[in-house]
Amino acid sequence: MPDQDKPAEVAAKAAAQRAAEAAKAAEAASAAGAVEGAEPLHAAAGTSTGPGASAAEIEYAAALLDAGELVAFPTETVYGLGGDAQSPDAVARIYAAKGRPANHPVIVHLAPHGDPGYWVEHLPPEALRLIDAFWPGPLTLILKRAARIPAAVSGGQDSVGLRCPSHPVAQALLEAFSALRGGHGGVAAPSANRFGHVSPTTAQHVRDEFGGSIHVLDGGSSDVGIESTILDLSRGFPALLRPGRVTPQDIAEVLGEAPRLPDGSDATAPRASGTLKAHYAPRTPLALLPFEALEPMLAAREANERVALVARVSRAGRWADAGGVHFIAAPEDPHVYARELYGLLRALDRANVTRILIEKLPDTIEWIAVNDRLGRAAAAFEAQG
């Protein structure tokens, strides 16, 4: 009598069968013209959908996740590289694909109808108020991890980061995957790029990073453009670990107290995504300085050197039209700057310049998130030099 399949093997076979069936359904729908203007979906890794992902395409991507595979998908912040958050093997594949240190935690993305209480030891009233105010949206909450949740998503820590994205393609994918897991599916998803590099805000950015090795759901350009705000509630008080679209003032209005701001002195803070000193870096050397410090650098450059200058029009002066200077007018609005930032850095990597010189932005709370990303990008080159 042949050996009985182990439960894990049975589950894997069933998931693979669902993925194959979903792929056939997607191909049939496309061939029949049910998805007008969409490219046919193939089972091979690396295929991608259009911005209006169909139900069949969503089902196929969810089945891939259920089978332990990775899927890149859009959120309102950046594109995420997703895997089953309750599978240490899938999470390990995320780390391997990105080249990410295994002790650097990832964020678990939940469907709008998901239960955050399933993932944590305790859901405090402060978390519930913030969830009511900002979910779905660009806010990640750090809470004590439930014992049932693998430590792999937390880099071995006893906490876990949770968020519910507002992008409709992300929501559809998360709902479909959660349905396959009895309502408790969560997708671990850091940004879909090589570790430390510029985050992706379009499907093409993901393809530029990984070629055809990752299946991509295309949901157009991310509206927010930088990663979510991360707020730690795991230690009995609110502490901002990473700034984003949800501001400290927004949080204070909901909680009735301002969160502690990151100043480098919080030694007990849990590790969180995107909080290393050097991060979000382009491949071209980047310097972030006040404009008066950039001018001597512009004046001293070699005669045949071509540099990029990103500065406000009001400060650029003669350098906006100077030979050998690729000038980009910096957006005056912090939300617009955030939305355009990563696309700009990727474009400048292709602009045939030797250096990127960026004017430091005002040191005010409105600019805290963009300053954070630019500061970490510049730090990658300070460390080298």
Side-chain angles (χ1 to χ4, degrees):
M1 181 176 178
D3 293 337
Q4 293 289 323
D5 284 340
K6 297 178 181 178
E9 293 172 345
V10 172
K13 289 179 180 179
Q17 179 64 26
R18 285 194 294 272
E21 291 172 353
K24 290 179 181 178
E27 289 181 343
S30 180
V35 187
E36 183 177 356
E39 296 180 0
L41 180 67
H42 304 289
T47 57
S48 61
T49 65
S54 71
E57 292 166 338
I58 293 294
E59 184 180 353
Y60 172 54
L64 286 177
L65 292 172
D66 193 39
E69 300 299 328
L70 305 185
V71 172
F73 64 98
T75 78
E76 75 279 18
T77 58
V78 300
Y79 274 64
L81 181 61
D84 178 4
Q86 295 191 79
S87 167
D89 287 343
V91 174
R93 289 189 184 97
I94 295 172
Y95 284 114
K98 285 178 62 70
R100 184 185 183 96
N103 67 347
H104 200 53
V106 292
I107 294 169
V108 178
H109 292 64
L110 304 181
H113 297 104
D115 177 15
Y118 173 82
W119 299 84
V120 300
E121 276 186 1
H122 170 63
L123 202 58
E126 296 83 2
L128 290 171
R129 294 205 299 272
L130 291 164
I131 287 170
D132 287 342
F134 300 115
W135 284 17
L139 175 67
T140 294
L141 298 178
I142 305 293
L143 298 159
K144 288 295 185 183
R145 175 173 50 83
R148 70 171 70 90
I149 306 304
V153 297
S154 306
Q157 300 177 113
D158 65 355
S159 56
V160 64
L162 303 176
R163 96 172 184 95
C164 174
S166 63
H167 195 291
V169 172
Q171 290 189 356
L173 175 63
L174 292 165
E175 291 283 14
F177 178 64
S178 186
L180 295 175
R181 295 304 177 84
H184 291 308
V187 175
S191 56
N193 55 279
R194 306 291 182 183
F195 182 70
H197 293 168
V198 179
S199 301
T201 55
T202 69
Q204 185 58 50
H205 292 165
V206 181
R207 289 190 286 268
D208 290 344
E209 290 280 335
F210 296 107
S213 65
I214 300 294
H215 182 83
V216 184
L217 281 175
D218 190 339
S221 298
S222 298
D223 181 61
V224 174
I226 57 173
E227 297 78 4
S228 62
T229 302
I230 298 181
L231 185 73
D232 176 34
L233 295 176
S234 69
R235 295 173 291 161
F237 56 86
L240 189 73
L241 302 185
R242 181 176 71 186
R245 172 64 70 87
V246 178
T247 67
Q249 297 100 315
D250 295 332
I251 294 166
E253 288 175 5
V254 173
L255 297 184
E257 64 174 310
R260 298 186 186 181
L261 299 182
D263 61 4
S265 64
D266 191 356
T268 67
R271 297 185 304 277
S273 295
T275 56
L276 296 180
K277 180 180 178 182
H279 215 66
Y280 312 114
R283 290 170 174 78
T284 307
L286 182 152
L288 176 70
L289 294 165
F291 192 79
E292 53 269 24
L294 293 178
E295 285 198 281
M297 299 173 68
L298 290 164
R301 72 190 190 284
E302 299 291 334
N304 60 348
E305 184 182 8
R306 178 175 164 81
V307 301
L309 172 64
V310 182
R312 289 170 291 177
V313 172
S314 60
R315 300 300 305 276
R318 66 188 179 94
W319 298 109
D321 300 311
V325 175
H326 179 58
F327 174 67
I328 303 293
E332 298 281 354
D333 180 272
H335 293 328
V336 175
Y337 204 129
R339 185 167 60 245
E340 296 180 0
L341 175 60
Y342 292 149
L344 169 64
L345 293 180
R346 286 176 175 271
L348 291 176
D349 264 341
R350 302 188 302 270
N352 192 30
V353 297
T354 59
R355 288 182 294 167
I356 302 170
L357 306 179
I358 300 184
E359 178 192 10
K360 192 175 185 304
L361 298 164
D363 191 18
T364 60
I365 203 69
E366 293 82 7
W367 290 98
I368 185 174
V370 177
N371 274 329
D372 173 81
R373 304 313 191 272
L374 286 173
R376 295 179 196 277
F381 299 99
E382 293 167 3
Q384 294 174 10

